């Protein structure tokens, strides 16, 4: 399993930590509003597409691989 950059790890963690009823659009807007993406929504959507192509995200949810990466990222950020 390849190592994802910090942006993608944070993206997956944000999806893992979504509130009940929060949509993918809501998550994208939240991440863009933090200033995480230099190019704004366009870059956020590109990152989402890349994570879907790599099977970290299936539909609007994390795959098993995505869950594992999100959990690993959370542990790293807690250190």
């Amino acid at each position: 399993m390849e190592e994802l950059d910090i942006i993608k790890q944070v993206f997956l963690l944000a999806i893992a930590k979504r509130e009940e009823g929060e949509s993918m659009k809501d998550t994208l807007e939240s991440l863009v509003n933090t200033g995480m993406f230099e190019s704004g929504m366009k870059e956020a959507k590109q990152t989402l597409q890349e994570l879907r192509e790599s099977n970290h995200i299936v539909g609007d949810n994390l795959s098993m691989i995505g869950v594992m990466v999100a959990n690993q990222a959370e542990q790293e950020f807690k250190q």
Side-chain angles (χ1 to χ4, degrees):
M1 187 164 62
E2 72 181 69
E3 183 74 21
L4 295 180
D5 65 39
I6 190 78
I7 299 288
K8 290 179 180 174
Q9 290 179 35
V10 170
F11 199 114
L12 292 172
L13 185 56
I15 294 170
K17 296 294 182 177
R18 284 193 299 200
E19 297 290 326
E20 182 78 27
E22 186 177 343
S23 69
M24 183 61 76
K25 183 179 181 206
D26 295 334
T27 304
L28 283 171
E29 289 173 355
S30 294
L31 292 171
V32 169
N33 289 338
T34 67
M36 187 168 95
F37 296 102
E38 292 177 14
S39 302
M41 187 59 76
K42 182 179 179 180
E43 184 179 353
K45 287 181 178 180
Q46 177 63 36
T47 301
L48 174 60
Q49 183 61 35
E50 290 171 9
L51 288 168
R52 283 182 170 150
E53 289 172 0
S54 65
N55 294 317
H56 287 85
I57 300 173
V58 177
D60 283 347
N61 297 303
L62 296 178
S63 67
M64 204 57 206
I65 296 169
V67 170
M68 290 172 31
V69 172
N71 288 340
Q72 181 182 15
E74 183 175 28
Q75 292 305 312
E76 286 181 29
F77 296 143
K78 285 183 178 181
Q79 291 180 0

